[in-house]
Amino acid sequence: MKEKLIPFAWAKNIYDIDVDFYHSLNIKTLIIDLDNTLDSYKTKVPSDRAIRLISKMKNSGLKPVIVSNNRGKRVKEYAEALGIECIHSAMKPFPCKINRFIKDNHLNKDEIILIGDQLITDVKAAKNVGIKSILLEKLVKEDQFTTHFNRIFDKMIRKRLKNKNLLKEWRELYGQSKKSS
């Protein structure tokens, strides 16, 4: 199994993850995919649950940042509505734009985690940058046309990861990190 496609953790969705989990890992910055992670690709403005989640993250001292391969306008407007920064046209899995953001903001890679719903873009981008990742299931059924091709490979790879017990659920890791604290 390609190491670049094994996430640090797995979760059903971002809304299931307790914000204390990030603190237990000494994470300070959350780089969060937009489409099928926070909301549907059809959503122009943040849903109420996305607003509540980002607010909870910010109130707990975390810095959430949107990352998306989509072009600027929608991504910027979505992030602005949440009062957070974004990295648009990110070209994931390539690390250039994410690395530039990290460098420009003087962030420590050990304190960053990337959260997204795709192995080939999100998990591989995190590995290419040298940060942890959390792989999620699709939030909604529909996908952008450009994503369908990736999903074919994603489905096969996920199956192999599950069969080899390489998808570690966040709750399992949270229990381990709480014990070692």
Side-chain angles (χ1 to χ4, degrees):
M1 182 59 52
K2 287 210 170 220
E3 184 71 27
K4 292 235 181 221
L5 296 175
I6 301 172
F8 172 75
W10 172 88
K12 182 178 177 189
N13 66 61
I14 194 167
Y15 299 100
D16 284 351
I17 305 170
D18 189 321
V19 294
D20 288 336
F21 173 63
Y22 306 119
H23 292 293
S24 75
L25 299 171
N26 197 34
I27 297 296
K28 297 189 177 15
T29 304
L30 307 168
I31 299 179
I32 306 168
D33 177 52
L34 173 53
D35 296 332
N36 242 328
T37 295
L38 283 171
D39 274 313
S40 165
Y41 80 93
K42 295 178 180 178
T43 305
K44 303 291 183 223
V45 296
S47 62
D48 288 342
R49 72 179 179 170
I51 293 168
R52 285 191 303 272
L53 177 66
I54 297 300
S55 178
K56 187 176 183 178
M57 289 173 170
K58 288 166 45 176
N59 288 339
S60 78
L62 296 167
K63 177 183 178 159
V65 177
I66 299 283
V67 65
S68 179
N69 283 349
N70 287 312
R71 295 198 181 116
K73 186 178 181 201
R74 174 177 163 258
V75 179
K76 284 181 192 175
E77 288 175 357
Y78 188 99
E80 285 172 6
L82 293 169
I84 62 176
E85 294 178 81
C86 69
I87 306 165
H88 62 82
S89 308
M91 300 183 341
K92 297 176 292 178
F94 301 107
C96 302
K97 287 211 171 181
I98 297 171
N99 273 332
R100 186 177 319 130
F101 180 86
I102 291 169
K103 183 179 178 191
D104 290 350
N105 287 278
H106 311 288
L107 302 174
N108 178 342
K109 288 185 179 185
D110 292 334
E111 298 174 343
I112 303 170
I113 200 161
L114 191 150
I115 306 165
D117 65 299
Q118 292 188 62
L119 285 162
I120 295 167
T121 55
D122 302 314
V123 172
K124 193 168 183 183
K127 292 282 187 165
N128 288 340
V129 170
I131 59 177
K132 288 180 175 74
S133 64
I134 299 176
L135 176 65
L136 309 172
E137 296 301 316
K138 288 171 43 171
L139 191 61
V140 294
K141 208 172 201 177
E142 69 265 357
D143 265 322
Q144 287 178 296
F145 175 75
T146 54
T147 306
H148 288 286
F149 183 72
N150 283 352
R151 292 282 184 205
I152 295 167
F153 294 104
D154 190 284
K155 189 175 180 178
M156 291 185 299
I157 297 165
R158 277 179 199 251
K159 186 175 181 179
R160 276 192 240 139
L161 290 171
K162 287 177 185 173
N163 288 341
K164 292 183 177 195
N165 199 29
L166 294 172
L167 289 182
K168 301 295 181 193
E169 214 250 341
W170 75 270
R171 285 180 179 89
E172 178 185 337
L173 295 170
Y174 185 39
Q176 290 173 3
S177 64
K178 283 175 67 173
K179 288 175 191 168
S180 64
S181 297

